[in-house]
Amino acid sequence: MTPLLTAPERRAARRTVSVLAADGMSVFELGCVVEIFGIPRPELDVPWYELAVCAETPGVELRVVGGFGLRAEHGLDVLAGADTVIVPGVPDVRDEVPRALVAALRSAHGRGARMVSICSGAFALAAAGLLDGREATTHWKYAELLQRRFPRVRVDPDVLYVDGGDVLTSAGSAAGLDLLIHLVRSDHGPGVANAVARRLVVPPHRDGGQAQFVRAAVAPVEGDDAVAAAMAWALEHLAGPITVAALAKAAHMSERTFLRRFAERTGTSPIRWVVSQRIAASLPLLESTSAPVEEIAAAVGFDSPATFRHHFTRAMRTSPSAYRRTFAA
């Protein structure tokens, strides 16, 4: 059995970090990596990281979002040779990932590098097969496409990041900072991670998940079939009690037939769908009114504030009160 590394040995083993730069990319996530790992921090009194910015073709100007260019000094050999390899995004989530990059990522992982993606960078790790059979995340607006393009990946669209040990993925944009500070915490402990977070003027850890940042207003039901009619009826009566029997009656079906047809149309159960619609209806009330949570719970049809809080927290990965503090106008 391979002996476990001590904390100092683990930190030393992860000192070199490489990050990919690509033509057409957004530089926010790249900037986050440089900010965390590329700035010397002698005041922390720990061995800090050595960062290399890499590109498929080093020395060539890369045109990036915002109308300017940058050059990376290092190529994919350096990218693959680092202890921690970070892909901060891909230029287009619908394009094929270059074969040379796929080979470099596989090589890095094969020799034991820690693999990290931010936002759409998950598409590169998935193309290399590094997310097969694993739980992973990406920006919520890309989650469905990632799942469709790479069905062997277990995509979780709600969390800020997923730590799979040797492979880590984060949600979009600022969630990359959460993951990068998590890496520092794993390497150097909470004290150092907290100090870095204070330098960046960001919290060292955020509660909740990215579900709270998804705009989820109640949308009209499409279609003119019987199930759609029942769903439209439910949206008009969210504040009152809604049962499967009432929905089946609105659809002019037996309960058994309605349950089958509803599942075929939506992929879920009627009650779960109603709960999701009630939560969606509560969001603008939390954002734009000062009504107590108890009143909002009743207004969208939950039979008690406790039930509302339970379902809201389960769906949004944060509480109604915390959501209101974040998004209140």
Side-chain angles (χ1 to χ4, degrees):
M1 179 181 296
T2 302
L4 295 175
L5 293 176
T6 64
E9 289 171 335
R10 185 172 65 250
R11 290 194 292 269
R14 293 177 174 171
R15 282 198 64 190
T16 59
V17 177
S18 63
V19 60
L20 180 70
D23 198 66
M25 73 182 303
S26 170
V27 294
F28 175 81
E29 292 84 358
L30 174 64
C32 291
V33 176
V34 173
E35 182 72 23
I36 296 286
F37 299 112
I39 296 178
R41 300 186 186 276
E43 72 279 7
L44 298 179
D45 198 28
V46 294
W48 205 240
Y49 304 89
E50 299 173 6
L51 176 68
V53 179
C54 307
E56 190 170 356
T57 305
V60 174
E61 183 176 272
L62 305 172
R63 301 301 299 175
V64 296
V65 173
F68 62 97
L70 58 84
R71 286 183 173 88
E73 296 182 0
H74 306 287
L76 295 182
D77 56 334
V78 174
L79 180 82
D83 303 313
T84 298
V85 177
I86 303 176
V87 183
V90 296
D92 192 325
V93 294
R94 291 168 178 80
D95 286 347
E96 294 299 317
V97 177
R99 292 181 180 180
L101 176 57
V102 167
L105 295 175
R106 288 174 177 168
S107 173
H109 183 254
R111 60 168 190 75
R114 179 171 59 179
M115 311 299 292
V116 180
S117 70
I118 301 173
C119 194
S120 62
F123 285 79
L125 298 190
L130 306 186
L131 301 182
D132 287 356
R134 293 176 180 264
E135 183 179 340
T137 194
T138 184
H139 194 292
W140 57 265
K141 71 177 181 179
Y142 301 140
E144 183 179 347
L145 178 61
L146 180 65
Q147 187 67 83
R148 190 164 63 248
R149 286 192 61 189
F150 303 100
R152 297 183 66 182
V153 182
R154 302 197 307 272
V155 180
D156 186 342
D158 296 332
V159 296
L160 293 176
Y161 59 82
V162 174
D163 183 347
D166 59 332
V167 180
L168 303 90
T169 56
S170 88
S173 300
L177 276 175
D178 295 288
L179 176 54
L180 299 178
I181 291 173
H182 171 72
L183 294 178
V184 174
R185 186 183 303 111
S186 299
D187 293 347
H188 296 290
V192 172
N194 292 349
V196 172
R198 283 196 294 272
R199 302 289 194 283
L200 298 173
V201 198
V202 297
H205 176 77
R206 282 194 293 168
D207 293 326
Q210 62 173 326
Q212 62 189 297
F213 299 101
V214 181
R215 188 64 180 171
V218 176
V221 177
E222 297 181 356
D224 56 2
D225 57 285
V227 172
M231 296 169 73
W233 174 87
L235 294 181
E236 294 175 358
H237 297 83
L238 279 180
I242 299 176
T243 63
V244 172
L247 288 166
K249 182 178 180 181
H252 304 288
M253 296 179 183
S254 68
E255 291 186 31
R256 183 175 180 180
T257 299
F258 178 77
L259 287 170
R260 185 179 72 253
R261 295 279 182 84
F262 193 94
E264 290 171 353
R265 191 184 203 280
T266 67
T268 188
S269 71
I271 298 307
R272 286 178 179 171
W273 177 81
V274 168
V275 167
S276 70
Q277 299 308 302
R278 284 174 166 158
I279 291 170
S282 74
L283 301 184
L285 299 178
L286 290 167
E287 295 170 11
S288 60
T289 77
S290 59
V293 169
E294 293 76 10
E295 290 184 13
I296 293 176
V300 297
F302 287 102
D303 56 10
S304 72
T307 302
F308 173 47
R309 290 188 178 96
H310 168 76
H311 287 295
F312 191 99
T313 302
R314 185 174 182 179
M316 305 298 290
R317 304 296 180 99
T318 190
S319 69
S321 297
Y323 180 91
R324 168 174 271 168
R325 286 194 298 271
T326 302
F327 293 102

